[in-house]
Structure formats: structure tokens, C-alpha cells
């Protein structure tokens, strides 16, 4: 589906609807591009935040070296839409079904790099690349304290890098961590650089990630690229972490007050199927832009419960309010389309091309 051009008023939208402030998106893209370039790094934004090829193209046009995808389904959607430059997939690709999908994409892209954190994944990638007569660039993912997947020590990373260099049709390109804010990142990178240098193994790429880490890029002088995603929209978590201000938040969910069962409670028509219940390190379930003293206290599937007890002015039944979500990346995966808005008018309707592309 192609973006639809529109000039209707945002007030005409039925609710709930996800709106994107286009001026804020453009400002966020430009600001973060300057920030990353100013630290001598290349920018490889993560598209799982927006899942929209047109926004990825904005990021590339602003100077991004390429994009980061989390799953092959995202790559397929973006390649089909014509985003065929430098793409990194930051998730272990396991099994013949997925490696065949991967290899079908390789000739359609300028550069398609992958990650691995274990021998099984490496050997599967090597066999697929050998079978298709193609070379695959590979980065090794390291766990610097986030507690997800990843190699646990620089020694493990060096051993796996040596294996990657020996396997047919693989090219070892470097190391990757997420997020930089994990507690062992700097020490892990410093030790890895020292050990790889002593072993004579080049480290052309040291890739870090995370929007909150943008505030501390100077702490990682050995890093060569940064992968941030949420910055393009921002959300409650990013404001809480100090990575954004409220006027940097481009995504809001427009939602209608459908009930006022008590003086201090309002019910809106956006629940967990739009806003999600993700909280991570923040409280409640979003911020009401027009009523900052209101609390999005709870969500069920279709209902949002607002606590208005701290509000002097309170919305009435029929009023439309805008909620900044806790985590904008998940909201993108909940809706078929988002509405790009400028000066109160809908300028573009973008289908969320990679919605549901989780394989």
C-alpha cells in the first residue's frame, strides 16, 4: 500500500487514531543525526519504532548510513517498498526456513548484514551462504549487562570471531551490543578492543544502540556506529530517561471520552489494544497531553481509565484527548495506519508496512 495524501482536519478523525506530528519527526531526525555525526559515528536507525519505509527514507536522506531491522519480515517489507541500501538484521536467524528467506533478500540489497551469538547460528548462516554462492557480513552480539542474548565475555567473542573467519562465505565485521546503557558496556568494549588487537583480528565495526544512550555517546570513543529507534517519535519512557522533552514527542493517540462514571474518573475509547500495557521503568500507561495532571491509571482491552482527581479542569463526555504512549514502538505494531499531521491538518496517511512482521 502506498501513502495516501490527505488535507482533512485532524478533528475529523474517528477515534482511537494514531497521529504523528510531522514537524516533530523532521526535527527529531535532524537533531539525532547531528548528535551522532558530531561524535564521529555513523547512524543506523532502528525501523521497528515506525515500521514505515517513507520514514526510513527520511532518515537515510538526512544522512543515516542504512537501517536496522529486527526481523526478516521487516526487511522484506522495506525491500519491497524500495529501501534496498545497507541493512542490518539484529536478531539470530535460526533454521533453514529463515536462512532461505535471508538469502533470497541478499541479491536485492546493497549490503545485508546479520548477527549471531553462538556457533549453531554461525554454521547455519555459513551453510546457507555457501549454498547460494553469496558472502554474508556478520557481527557478533555481546551481552554487556542487559541480560538478554549475547556473548558473555570478550574472550567468548574472540573465539567465535575466529570461527566466523574460518567458516565458508562469512565475513566477520565486528561486535554489537544493546543497549549502551547496560552497566558493562564500556569495559566490555575496551577489553574486546585490546584482546582482538593482540590476536590480530580486525574490528571494523563496534555497534552500540538505544535512544537513551544518545546522551552519553562520548563515553564510547571506540564505537563506530549507533542504532537508535525510538528517537524518531519519542514517548513517556524517553522523556523519563532524559533522552527527550515532551515537545519532542511526535506520536499521540487521539481518543474520545465516552464516560464519566464519577467526578474523578473518565473512560476513553483507547485501551491496551492501542496503547499497550507496557511500563518498563515508568508508572501508569501514558500521558494526557491536554491534561498533564490526569493519570492514565489503567487499561483494559478497549477502555482507558483516567484518574482526574488532580485536575482543576476536566474533560467531558465527547471530548477528544491526546495520549502520549509509554512505548511508541509497540503502538506502531497495533494499527494498520498512522496519520501524519501538520498545523492541525492530515498531510499523509502512512500504512504501517511492517506491522505484524514478527517472523
Amino acid at each position: 500500500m502506498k501513502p495516501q495524501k490527505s488535507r482533512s482536519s485532524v478533528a475529523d478523525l474517528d477515534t482511537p487514531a494514531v497521529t504523528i506530528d510531522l514537524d516533530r519527526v523532521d526535527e527529531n531526525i535532524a537533531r539525532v543525526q547531528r548528535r551522532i555525526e558530531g561524535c564521529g559515528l555513523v547512524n543506523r536507525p532502528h525501523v521497528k519504532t515506525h515500521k514505515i519505509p517513507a520514514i526510513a527514507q527520511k532518515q537515510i536522506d538526512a544522512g543515516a548510513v542504512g537501517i536496522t531491522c529486527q526481523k526478516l519480515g521487516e526487511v522484506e517489507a522495506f525491500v519491497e517498498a524500495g529501501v534496498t541500501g545497507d541493512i542490518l538484521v539484529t536478531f539470530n536467524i535460526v533454521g533453514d526456513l529463515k536462512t532461505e528467506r535471508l538469502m533470497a533478500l541478499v541479491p536485492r540489497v546493497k549490503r545485508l548484514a546479520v548477527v549471531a551469538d553462538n556457533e549453531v547460528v554461525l554454521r547455519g548462516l555459513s551453510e546457507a551462504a555457501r549454498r547460494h554462492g553469496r558472502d554474508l557480513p556478520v557481527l557478533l552480539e555481546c551481552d554487556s549487562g542487559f541480560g538478554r542474548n549475547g556473548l558473555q565475555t570478550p574472550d567468548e567473542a574472540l573465539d567465535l570471531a575466529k570461527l566466523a573467519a574460518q567458516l565458508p562465505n562469512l565475513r566477520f565485521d565486528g561486535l554489537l551490543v544493546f543497549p549502551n546503557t547496560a552497566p558493562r558496556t564500556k569495559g566490555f568494549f575496551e577489553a574486546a578492543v585490546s584482546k582482538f588487537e593482540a590476536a590480530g583480528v580486525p574490528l571494523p565495526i563496534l555497534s552500540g544502540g538505544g535512544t537513551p544512550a544518545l546522551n552519553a555517546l562520548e563515553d564510547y570513543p571506540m564505537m563506530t556506529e549507533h542504532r537508535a529507534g525510538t528517537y524518531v517519535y519519542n514517548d513517556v519512557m524517553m522523556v523519563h530517561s532524559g533522552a527527550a522533552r515532551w515537545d519532542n514527542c511526535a506520536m499521540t493517540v487521539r481518543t474520545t471520552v465516552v464516560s464519566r462514571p464519577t467526578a474523578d474518573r473518565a473512560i476513553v475509547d483507547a485501551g491496551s489494544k492501542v496503547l499497550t500495557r507496557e511500563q518498563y521503568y515508568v508508572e501508569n500507561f501514558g500521558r494526557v497531553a491536554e491534561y498533564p495532571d490526569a493519570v492514565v491509571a489503567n487499561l483494559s482491552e478497549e477502555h482507558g481509565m483516567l484518574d482526574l482527581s488532580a485536575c482543576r479542569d476536566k474533560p467531558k463526555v465527547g471530548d477528544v484527548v491526546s495520549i502520549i504512549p509509554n512505548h511508541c514502538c509497540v503502538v506502531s505494531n497495533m494499527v494498520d495506519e498512522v496519520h501524519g499531521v501538520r498545523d492541525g491538518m492530515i498531510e499523509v496517511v502512512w500504512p504501517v508496512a511492517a506491522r505484524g512482521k514478527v517472523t
Side-chain angles (χ1 to χ4, degrees):
M1 294 174 62
K2 294 183 178 180
Q4 304 169 32
K5 295 292 183 180
S6 173
R7 287 298 296 172
S8 59
S9 170
V10 69
D12 295 333
L13 283 174
D14 202 356
T15 62
V18 177
T19 59
I20 307 299
D21 185 310
L22 297 175
D23 287 334
R24 291 184 178 185
V25 164
D26 291 343
E27 291 164 4
N28 291 339
I29 290 172
R31 184 184 68 257
V32 170
Q33 185 67 37
R34 289 194 303 269
R35 170 70 175 145
I36 293 175
E37 286 181 354
C39 292
L41 310 178
V42 297
N43 181 23
R44 185 183 296 279
H46 214 314
V47 300
K48 69 182 179 65
T49 296
H50 53 75
K51 292 178 169 277
I52 296 171
I55 296 182
Q57 193 59 55
K58 281 176 175 281
Q59 294 170 304
I60 292 168
D61 291 345
V65 69
I67 62 172
T68 303
C69 294
Q70 191 77 331
K71 295 293 186 71
L72 287 174
E74 290 178 351
V75 181
E76 290 163 342
F78 277 68
V79 169
E80 190 62 31
V83 182
T84 56
D86 189 335
I87 300 177
L88 170 66
V89 186
T90 51
F91 201 91
N92 282 349
I93 297 171
V94 178
D96 290 344
L97 188 62
K98 282 189 167 60
T99 56
E100 283 299 300
R101 288 170 61 197
L102 170 69
M103 298 314 302
L105 289 163
V106 168
R108 302 179 65 188
V109 176
K110 179 181 178 181
R111 174 181 177 267
L112 183 56
V114 293
V115 303
D117 74 345
N118 63 77
E119 182 176 342
V120 173
V121 171
L122 272 186
R123 291 191 180 278
L125 292 169
S126 172
E127 174 56 29
R130 183 199 61 77
R131 193 164 59 244
H132 286 265
R134 299 275 183 176
D135 290 335
L136 272 178
V138 178
L139 283 79
L140 301 182
E141 183 166 6
C142 304
D143 176 13
S144 59
F146 193 51
R148 205 161 62 180
N149 54 310
L151 294 153
Q152 297 299 298
T153 67
D155 286 319
E156 289 181 5
L158 179 58
D159 288 344
L160 201 62
K162 290 177 179 177
L163 175 62
Q166 296 169 1
L167 290 173
N169 298 91
L170 294 188
R171 186 183 77 224
F172 172 66
D173 267 8
L175 304 179
L176 173 147
V177 298
F178 176 84
N180 289 16
T181 51
R184 295 190 295 115
T185 301
K186 188 174 184 180
F188 196 110
F189 267 151
E190 289 174 338
V193 168
S194 176
K195 289 177 181 294
F196 275 67
E197 184 177 348
V201 179
L203 271 177
I205 297 173
L206 285 172
S207 180
T211 295
L214 290 168
N215 288 335
L217 291 182
E218 291 87 355
D219 293 342
Y220 309 97
M222 72 294 289
M223 200 165 66
T224 64
E225 75 171 22
H226 194 73
R227 312 173 328 275
T230 311
Y231 77 90
V232 73
Y233 288 161
N234 291 309
D235 52 27
V236 172
M237 291 196 302
M238 293 305 101
V239 175
H240 185 275
S241 71
R245 304 184 308 267
W246 292 120
D247 61 3
N248 300 135
C249 293
M251 173 188 278
T252 56
V253 176
R254 285 178 60 83
T255 180
T256 300
V257 177
V258 298
S259 178
R260 283 288 307 277
T262 72
D264 290 335
R265 188 195 319 154
I267 307 300
V268 296
D269 63 355
S272 63
K273 287 182 177 177
V274 180
L275 289 165
T276 86
R277 290 186 60 85
E278 288 202 333
Q279 291 179 294
Y280 284 89
Y281 46 80
V282 298
E283 295 180 348
N284 306 311
F285 300 96
R287 183 180 195 260
V288 184
E290 298 87 352
Y291 298 90
D293 291 328
V295 174
V296 187
N298 204 356
L299 301 173
S300 58
E301 289 183 69
E302 308 292 353
H303 300 72
M305 295 73 155
L306 308 186
D307 178 352
L308 307 177
S309 57
C311 297
R312 176 178 298 179
D313 298 317
K314 302 178 183 182
K316 305 180 297 297
V317 172
D319 287 352
V320 175
V321 299
S322 304
I323 296 178
I324 300 169
N326 282 354
H327 191 185
C328 60
C329 304
V330 185
V331 174
S332 291
N333 201 49
M334 307 284 269
V335 293
D336 292 328
E337 60 189 21
V338 300
H339 302 81
V341 176
R342 204 184 310 268
D343 297 326
M345 302 297 291
I346 301 169
E347 190 170 293
V348 64
V349 180
W350 279 313
V352 184
R355 182 196 178 188
K357 305 300 184 183
V358 296
T359 62

